[in-house]
């Protein structure tokens, strides 16, 4: 969504036209889930994706038609044999897509507000109401809500926006639970979730590979090492923070966001133990450590003698990562980041 909104708020005021497309509901098997966005230009060029294939091509065709007509609506697509038989893309589901034509005459304040919710990392929720499916031309209204439920901005049909405002106060789910798309009383709610912070203790090969992959899947990475050259901008170009210093000095006072994740992947047993000891004293949502079962057992024995409880150790993911029989650095990083994503996307029951 960030890339789409960045293009929108730059191109529309600059004199270009484009259609904003957002997937607001899915049923059954679909190539993308609710919340996916795409910007379509009159030439057919696009930013973002709704999943590719012939369904996306049909969305683009309709978007260009509506852009020429200057009329926005909600369009439903049924993904059966009519879509994708030749391409092998038979999903068997339904998709509802908002298509909002935008020209240089349109203000982009609403979309700028969504972009600010993303870039500030505060997050929010996009709540959308639309006409019933039997309407040939379906009006809609979109309201951006703050994490506390305050109205930030609105766009579209005024009556639908009022409907959203009346229902949102009772139906809004807190972002702390990292909710996925949901519907309440006919309103579609698309959470804009803040990015999680991942603190990587150790800037070696595994830490470097994890940082790269974690950035791609929307973690803000902080990397710490006592060797400044190891955590240089060249080795960690996407890191939010690169903090040099001794682990026992940096970790106790390192500012952390609520719900931060921690990962210990240093170059040796002693450094791992120091890193784990200090991260166990911080209120993390997730903590993992790399290592063999024997190394982990020895570290745990030492930490128990230093006052760390067994209950604390039971919360550590060690050996860290999903079991994919990984051997190379890159495979180890994939297994670790896959576990991070799985943990983030599956709130505790």
């Amino acid at each position: 969504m960030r890339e789409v909104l960045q293009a929108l708020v730059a191109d529309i005021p600059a004199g270009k036209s484009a259609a904003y497309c957002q997937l607001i509901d899915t049923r059954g098997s679909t190539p993308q889930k609710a919340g996916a966005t795409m910007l379509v230009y009159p030439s057919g060029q696009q930013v973002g994706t709704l999943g590719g294939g012939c369904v996306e091509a049909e969305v683009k065709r309709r978007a260009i038609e509506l852009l020429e007509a200057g009329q926005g609506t909600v369009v439903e697509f049924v993904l059966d044999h009519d879509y994708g038989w030749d391409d092998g893309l038979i999903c068997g589901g339904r998709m509802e897509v908002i298509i909002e034509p935008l020209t240089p005459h349109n203000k982009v304040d609403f979309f700028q507000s969504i972009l600010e919710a993303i870039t500030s990392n505060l997050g929010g929720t996009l709540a959308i109401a639309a006409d019933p499916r039997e309407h040939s031309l379906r009006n809609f209204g979109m309201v951006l809500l703050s994490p506390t439920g305050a109205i930030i901005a609105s766009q579209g049909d005024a009556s639908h926006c009022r409907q959203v405002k009346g229902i949102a106060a009772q139906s809004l789910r807190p972002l702390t639970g990292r909710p996925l798309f949901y519907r309440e009383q006919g309103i579609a709610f698309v959470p804009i979730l803040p990015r999680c912070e991942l603190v990587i203790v150790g800037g070696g090969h595994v830490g470097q590979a994890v940082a790269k992959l974690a950035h791609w899947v929307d973690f803000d990475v902080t990397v710490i090492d006592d060797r400044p050259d190891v955590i240089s901008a060249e080795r960690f170009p996407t890191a939010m923070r690169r903090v040099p210093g001794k682990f026992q000095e940096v970790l106790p006072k390192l500012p952390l966001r609520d719900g931060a994740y921690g990962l210990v992947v240093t170059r040796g047993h002693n450094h791992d133990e120091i890193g784990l000891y200090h991260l166990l004293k911080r209120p993390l949502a997730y903590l993992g450590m790399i290592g063999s079962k024997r190394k982990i057992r020895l570290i745990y024995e030492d930490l128990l003698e230093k006052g760390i409880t067994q209950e604390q150790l039971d919360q550590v993911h060690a050996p860290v990562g999903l079991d994919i029989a990984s051997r190379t650095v890159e495979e180890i990083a994939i297994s670790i980041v896959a576990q991070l994503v799985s943990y983030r996307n599956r709130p505790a029951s």
Side-chain angles (χ1 to χ4, degrees):
M1 183 182 286
R2 182 195 297 248
E3 182 185 10
V4 168
L5 293 170
Q6 287 173 332
L8 188 158
V9 301
D11 289 347
I12 302 304
K16 296 182 180 180
S17 297
Y20 174 78
C21 306
Q22 179 157 30
L23 183 56
I24 63 166
D25 199 7
T26 64
R27 290 177 175 80
S29 178
T30 58
Q32 275 278 27
K33 297 304 178 185
T37 57
M38 179 173 70
L39 196 64
V40 178
Y41 296 88
S43 64
Q45 290 183 310
Q46 71 185 70
V47 178
T49 180
L50 298 186
C54 43
V55 177
E56 182 171 279
E58 178 65 10
V59 175
K60 288 174 64 175
R61 185 187 69 79
R62 294 295 301 275
I64 293 170
E65 288 180 353
L66 292 167
L67 188 57
E68 292 174 352
Q71 178 67 56
T73 190
V74 180
V75 183
E76 183 178 35
F77 299 89
V78 180
L79 281 63
D80 55 18
H81 64 276
D82 292 327
Y83 287 110
W85 180 261
D86 294 335
D87 298 329
L89 180 67
I90 304 178
C91 299
R94 293 173 180 264
M95 299 167 52
E96 287 191 359
V97 181
I98 281 177
I99 301 179
E100 173 82 320
L102 299 168
T103 71
H105 301 292
N106 295 117
K107 293 183 179 180
V108 297
D109 297 7
F110 177 74
F111 301 100
Q112 181 68 55
S113 295
I114 302 175
L115 182 58
E116 289 173 0
I118 295 171
T119 56
S120 68
N121 209 48
L122 294 176
T125 300
L126 188 59
I128 304 160
D131 286 338
R133 290 186 181 86
E134 56 265 23
H135 289 210
S136 58
L137 194 64
R138 299 172 63 188
N139 287 329
F140 59 89
M142 301 185 285
V143 176
L144 177 63
L145 305 164
S146 76
T148 60
I151 307 299
I152 297 176
S154 60
Q155 174 93 355
D157 181 73
S159 63
H160 284 312
C161 289
R162 287 193 295 271
Q163 179 187 1
V164 168
K165 294 173 184 179
I167 294 174
Q170 294 79 34
S171 302
L172 188 67
R173 299 180 186 177
L175 297 182
T176 52
R178 302 195 67 81
L180 302 178
F181 168 87
Y182 57 100
R183 272 190 175 274
E184 296 285 353
Q185 301 183 59
I187 306 299
F189 290 89
V190 182
I192 301 168
L193 300 175
R195 292 164 65 99
C196 292
E197 180 177 6
L198 172 62
V199 177
I200 301 177
V201 182
H205 296 304
V206 172
Q208 183 184 25
V210 169
K212 181 179 181 180
L213 293 176
H215 173 77
W216 285 353
V217 292
D218 288 336
F219 284 91
D220 284 336
V221 174
T222 292
V223 60
I224 302 166
D225 203 288
D226 56 353
R227 302 163 294 172
D229 58 311
V230 168
I231 55 172
S232 64
E234 290 74 22
R235 297 193 74 243
F236 289 86
T238 60
M240 177 183 68
R241 291 186 295 178
R242 297 178 296 276
V243 185
K246 295 181 179 180
F247 301 131
Q248 61 267 36
E249 296 176 357
V250 170
L251 290 173
K253 59 185 179 182
L254 182 74
L256 296 176
R257 294 181 195 158
D258 290 340
Y261 286 42
L263 177 65
V264 180
V265 286
T266 77
R267 62 188 183 277
H269 178 121
N270 291 336
H271 292 95
D272 282 345
E273 184 173 322
I274 293 169
L276 187 61
Y277 174 80
H278 288 287
L279 284 181
L280 279 166
K281 294 178 175 292
R282 305 299 302 272
L284 299 175
Y286 169 101
L287 178 55
M289 183 178 70
I290 199 170
S292 66
K293 291 183 179 179
R294 179 178 182 277
K295 186 190 86 168
I296 292 165
R297 176 173 57 80
L298 293 173
I299 288 176
Y300 281 12
E301 288 173 356
D302 285 348
L303 293 180
L304 287 169
E305 292 180 0
K306 294 178 180 178
I308 297 298
T309 68
Q310 186 62 52
E311 289 73 21
Q312 288 176 292
L313 295 175
D314 288 342
Q315 301 304 310
V316 180
H317 296 262
V320 71
L322 300 182
D323 184 2
I324 59 171
S326 52
R327 298 180 181 179
T328 66
V329 166
E330 292 77 14
E331 290 173 348
I332 292 169
I334 288 169
S335 76
I336 293 172
V337 175
Q339 187 175 71
L340 294 173
V341 171
S342 176
Y343 193 86
R344 180 186 64 186
N345 291 355
R346 296 176 181 175
S349 57

